Amino acid sequence: MTRTTGSTTLDAQTTTTLPGAEVLLRALVEQGVEVIFGYPGGAVLPIYDALFKQNHIRHILVRHEQAAVHAAEAYARSTGKVGVVLVTSGPGATNAVTGLLDAMMDSIPLVCLSGQVPTPLIGNDAFQEADTTGITRPVTKYNYLVRRPEDLAPAVHEAFAIARSGRPGPVLIDLPKNITVGDAPYVEAHAVTPRTTRMGSQPDRAAIARAVAAMKAGKRPLFYTGGGVINSGPQASAALRRLVDLTGFPVTSTLMGLGAFPGTDQRFLGMLGMHGTYEANLATYDCDVLIALGSRFDDRVTGRLDAFSPSSFKIHVDIDPSQINKIVHVDEGIVGDVGQIIDLMIEEWEKQPAYAHKSDLAAWWAQIESWRALDCLRFGQNKAPDAVIKPQQAIQRIYELARQTGRDTYVSTEVGQHQMWAAQFFRFDAPNHWLTSGGLGTMGYGLPAAVGAQIAHPDALVMDIAGEASTLMNIQELGTIAQYRLPVKIFIINNHYMGMVRQWQELLHGSRYSESYSDALPDFVKLAESFHATGLRATRLDELDATIQKALEHNGPVLVDICVAEGENCFPMIPSGAAHNQMILGPEQEAGSATISKEGQMLV
Amino acid sequence: MQVEVSGSAVISLLVDNESGALARIVELFSGRGYNIQSLTVAPVDEHSQTSRVNIVTTGTQSSIWQVKTQLERLVPVSRVVNLTAEGPYVAREMALVKVVSSGEPRTEALRIAQAFRARAVDTTASSFVFELTGSTDKLDSFIELMRPLGLVEVSRTGVASICRGPQTIQNF
């Protein structure tokens, strides 16, 4: 216990001593923090008192600590900055755990400040005491318990460095009350050498050259891009576009990577994986070179592992060395920042002999277009005015009508069918505009995420595409939305079911809908009104567009209850344990899908 | 896919001597389903700022490689070396072995202890405590031999390891 943070050089002459809470805030300001999402409590009162006395940092009061973390995640995801959370000890900290794991799984940079009982009481089962560092160790990239005043400022500076460096993630700092009350020396960021400097190495140029040579030899190539491209920054997305322009190769993306490459570009095949498009999944299965950029071969992407892209030469670029060969054995692993590696790939592509398989690539594109012709996302909407709205119709129209506004648009989702439909139907042309819980799949993510995005982008259109079940998990955030007059648009795709659970029960459990019916739902319109928002409802097809329009035109918060068909399933679907060429298609496509084997269907 | 053979590996780490560092390492193993056969830890630098951790683990080559890269992600971990993969190394552990017996088994225990160069560090009329240092195999066989001769208690340190030659863990 001799050292708790990165090495510091303390100069006695220039050391300023302040109350710990002020040291904390000063360090946050030095780190560029403008917004904190939090909830007060006994152990963090000194910090809240210091917040009260300053004007540099804005505090957003949420209604539940989990929501504070999701809001900070969306803030971080949509700005590229580190999100900051402030919660009290005990239940405040434990409520934050789900959010921290969500950020860990999706590589979102966060710093979570938690209160703690005074150091002399630690271990005594004091009021609102929790072993917060113990509880959060597996859900954070790193965490601190600040036991000595001199460790406070260095811990904050190092925490920010850790959160944003390498593969980003959440860092928690547990702050005993006597540390924030008592005096502590202030140390400036430049005087702290974070331990992140130990990591990081130069990109392996030879490996990049070999990878590009393999790309040049490819006749059926495919880029498989992920959230790493977004995390690497907008310049990485720009570099990806240049690389695709240069090569002419098709692109598919993971859920987390949507927006890195323009969704409206012809070379974009849509998302791959369990609810990916027909063309993206078949291209993944049949390609001969697979270039994974900042993606991690998640099980929702790979499906059955031994049948994942069976005949391809696999290149994997990732900033985290532990991801390479973790799930899928790759032929060329390259460790480094994906944006930087793409730049080097471009350099190498131009240096090496010209691509010699243009006609093969054209044939590959013809093949892809024939798959695309199936139009796998097409659904059958009865066009009668009083027809029941299909959930796909609702989401497609929200997308189209929002796009017509021409506004900068951020979209968050909850988790389930509506999330997958949103991923399928929304076409994102820019990174950082799609906010969803990918790795952890946290129901209740979308509403607080919309709060965080709207705080970060007050003039933008922020929408939460929600399910009626998910959104109830953090519905209390309507209070936050009201307090800060956030003009968030919440579209509840209300099918009276936990739709994805219902879908799996239909396909895998003999249609026994065990506990998946959303019984005793509130009247969402009245619920919205009670939270000082506008509530709207659409129940028939002819009400849909007008209702969406009305919501989009309103300049305050709107909650729209879109009552949709109850039994709709999300297709295409790769059932768990099946390969990419064993998709289940929707009723509209089934007749035309010769490649779907009976065996694949039986795997359901 | 070729079938990979499972084997054991000695992994040595240098870690910041801070609260929770060992917990991070141990939780990484349990959380990801890796196996720890033995673990030793002690400060090794003059200011007690750095500890060395030696872990004996088992797994396929690729899973041990995974263990190594996962360990490298931990902030307080500054160095991870798979000694088994990097070349010749020395691995030793110590055991304290208590034998309670009399008559012929007691004499036999003492005789075997001498053959193994174990030291009797505590002796009473009815018991011995033997101290023995050596490879894991050597300790295993000593303990097996003592079993019928009144073995009642064993305390082992786990493996400490270091690579052979002038190289150090710092310059792999």
Side-chain angles (χ1 to χ4, degrees), chain A residues 235-254:
Chain A
Q235 74 289 346
S237 294
L240 173 63
R241 287 156 206 227
R242 284 202 306 281
L243 181 62
V244 175
D245 283 341
L246 206 56
T247 58
F249 293 176
V251 185
T252 182
S253 169
T254 67

Side-chain angles (χ1 to χ4, degrees), chain B residues 87-109:
Chain B
Y89 65 98
V90 184
R92 292 288 181 270
E93 62 175 312
M94 192 186 86
L96 296 173
V97 178
K98 187 175 284 183
V99 178
V100 178
S101 51
S102 57
E104 184 54 31
R106 182 174 161 91
T107 325
E108 179 68 0

